[in-house]
């Protein structure tokens, strides 16, 4: 049974590679997958086709790769919503472990999440916002892109870190959340940077805190930089293969992946969408998954799970 795999590995790659992404066509992360797929195709000398398999918070696309042949011709480009968050809040559908059912190859990109308020909000800093929330009878309403999003988890992290009262308001995507914030129907939103960067630049919205430092927004602090015990949860993206792919295939593939992920042209095209390059080894990706999964599991204890569905 092993002999055919060894034979195929010696001639890898010899046919098109299918890059599966559990994301909808047209969003920023899908663009990142396509740009890196093009660079992979150049580096490997074979076509790399993109297959979008959205649904169930990314679980459907992830499971399709888990079930794929372990011959190196199926890849997964997925984000933490499918690989950590969904496993905590929807274990029946996300009944897999990316560290044993998949082979983590590398962390390649991040999209920081950011908390923004209306330009005319009564608070100018996150400290003022926390103070306002503690003094408010009903706390503050913070919108997010939907159940299980990094925004919803980030609201819970903020509540725990600051002791202030924040109510998470779920929307069906980033656009309606931003619309309600612009209309002053809610007090803030926490979304991936790309969803609000244009509003920040034009001055319509004001950023108060970001999940990780970013040079383009160097005046926007993280919560930890301000002395709080937790940061907002950002979005990260990594590449995976089905578990069991022969080692020599993986070793043949990784240089092309690193070249594509570090390509300056790709970086320049992704930055306006709020996505930044960050290369991390398969081991680093595995450690990030483990750490984040533990943190979210601890955060969403029996009482908290009722708020995230």
């Amino acid at each position: 049974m092993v002999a055919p795999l060894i034979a195929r590995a010696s001639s890898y790659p010899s046919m098109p590679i299918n890059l599966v992404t559990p994301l909808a066509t047209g969003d920023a992360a899908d663009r990142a997958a396509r740009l890196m797929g093009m660079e992979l195709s150049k580096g490997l000398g074979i076509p790399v086709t993109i297959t979008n398999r959205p649904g169930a918070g990314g679980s459907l696309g992830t499971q399709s790769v888990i079930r794929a042949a372990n011959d190196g011709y199926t890849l997964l480009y997925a984000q933490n919503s499918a690989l950590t968050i969904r496993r905590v809040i929807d274990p029946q559908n996300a009944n897999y472990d990316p560290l044993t059912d998949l082979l983590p190859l590398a962390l390649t990109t991040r999209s920081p999440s950011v908390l923004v308020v209306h330009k005319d909000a009564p608070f100018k800093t996150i400290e003022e916002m926390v103070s306002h929330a503690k003094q408010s009878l009903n706390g503050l309403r913070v919108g997010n892109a939907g159940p299980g999003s990094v925004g919803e988890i980030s609201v819970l992290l903020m509540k725990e870190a600051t002791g202030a009262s924040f109510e998470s308001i779920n929307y069906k995507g980033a656009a309606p959340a931003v619309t309600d914030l612009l209309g002053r129907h809610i007090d803030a939103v926490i979304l991936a940077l790309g969803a609000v960067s244009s509003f920040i630049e034009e001055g319509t919205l004001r950023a108060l805190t970001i999940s990780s430092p970013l040079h383009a927004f160097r005046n926007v602090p993280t919560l930890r930089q301000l002395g709080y015990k937790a940061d907002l949860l950002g979005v990260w993206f990594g590449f995976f293969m089905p578990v069991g792919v022969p080692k020599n295939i993986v070793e043949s593939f990784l240089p092309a992946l690193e070249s594509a992920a570090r390509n300056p042209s790709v970086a320049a095209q992704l930055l306006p969408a709020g996505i930044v390059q960050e290369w991390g080894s398969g081991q680093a990706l595995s450690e990030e998954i483990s750490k984040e999964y533990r943190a979210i599991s601890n955060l969403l204890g029996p009482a908290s799970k009722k708020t995230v569905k």
Side-chain angles (χ1 to χ4, degrees):
M1 292 177 65
V2 177
L5 272 180
I6 295 175
R8 287 199 294 273
S10 64
S11 60
Y12 180 87
S14 59
M15 62 182 187
I17 290 177
N18 182 26
L19 174 54
V20 177
T21 177
L23 306 163
T25 304
D27 69 11
D30 172 61
R31 178 165 173 75
R34 293 177 184 279
L35 286 170
M36 284 190 283
M38 290 172 59
E39 292 302 318
L40 279 172
S41 181
K42 295 175 185 176
L44 294 169
I46 49 90
V48 175
T49 60
I50 309 298
T51 299
N52 295 87
R53 289 291 303 274
S59 299
L60 293 182
T62 299
Q63 289 172 329
S64 74
V65 175
I66 290 173
R67 295 190 297 266
N70 56 355
D71 56 7
Y73 289 96
T74 303
L75 300 172
L76 174 69
Y77 176 72
Q79 64 194 77
N80 48 341
S81 60
L83 302 172
T84 59
I85 300 173
R86 299 303 303 185
R87 292 169 54 218
V88 177
I89 68 174
D90 188 17
Q92 287 189 324
N93 288 316
N95 57 347
Y96 48 79
D97 185 339
L99 303 185
T100 57
D101 297 325
L102 291 167
L103 176 63
L105 299 175
L107 187 151
T108 56
T109 44
R110 287 189 189 272
S111 181
S113 59
V114 60
L115 181 148
V116 295
V117 299
H118 194 277
K119 65 181 180 63
D120 296 326
F123 23 83
K124 307 297 182 184
T125 66
I126 194 67
E127 296 98 329
E128 291 180 0
M129 182 178 178
V130 168
S131 176
H132 194 93
K134 288 181 176 180
Q135 295 172 19
S136 174
L137 182 63
N138 298 314
L140 299 181
R141 293 159 54 86
V142 184
N144 63 74
S149 66
V150 295
E152 183 177 40
I153 302 299
S154 290
V155 173
L156 298 179
L157 288 168
M158 280 188 59
K159 289 173 66 175
E160 184 174 87
T162 66
S165 178
F166 296 106
E167 180 185 0
S168 184
I169 308 299
N170 295 333
Y171 288 86
K172 294 182 178 180
V178 172
T179 298
D180 266 13
L181 179 59
L182 292 173
R184 308 293 297 275
H185 302 298
I186 54 178
D187 300 291
V189 298
I190 300 177
L191 297 168
L193 178 60
V196 292
S197 58
S198 61
F199 297 97
I200 297 171
E201 291 168 0
E202 70 185 23
T204 308
L205 300 179
R206 185 169 61 252
L208 300 189
T209 185
I210 194 167
S211 62
S212 56
L214 189 63
H215 180 73
F217 292 86
R218 53 189 175 276
N219 295 325
V220 181
T222 68
L223 290 176
R224 288 188 186 275
Q225 287 175 335
L226 297 173
Y228 297 105
K229 61 183 179 181
D231 281 321
L232 303 182
L233 183 65
V235 182
W236 53 258
F237 305 86
F239 275 80
F240 301 79
M241 282 183 178
V243 71
V245 174
K247 184 178 179 181
N248 56 341
I249 284 183
V250 176
E251 291 176 344
S252 297
F253 176 77
L254 282 176
L257 177 59
E258 183 170 3
S259 177
R262 292 181 181 272
N263 186 289
S265 174
V266 173
Q269 294 178 74
L270 291 179
L271 194 56
I275 297 178
V276 296
Q277 288 176 331
E278 181 181 331
W279 176 260
S281 67
Q283 180 61 34
L285 176 56
S286 296
E287 291 172 357
E288 179 125 9
I289 290 171
S290 296
K291 179 181 178 181
E292 186 172 287
Y293 179 73
R294 285 195 303 269
I296 295 174
S297 295
N298 291 336
L299 180 69
L300 303 181
S304 297
K305 281 185 179 180
K306 297 176 183 178
T307 68
V308 182
K309 297 179 180 178

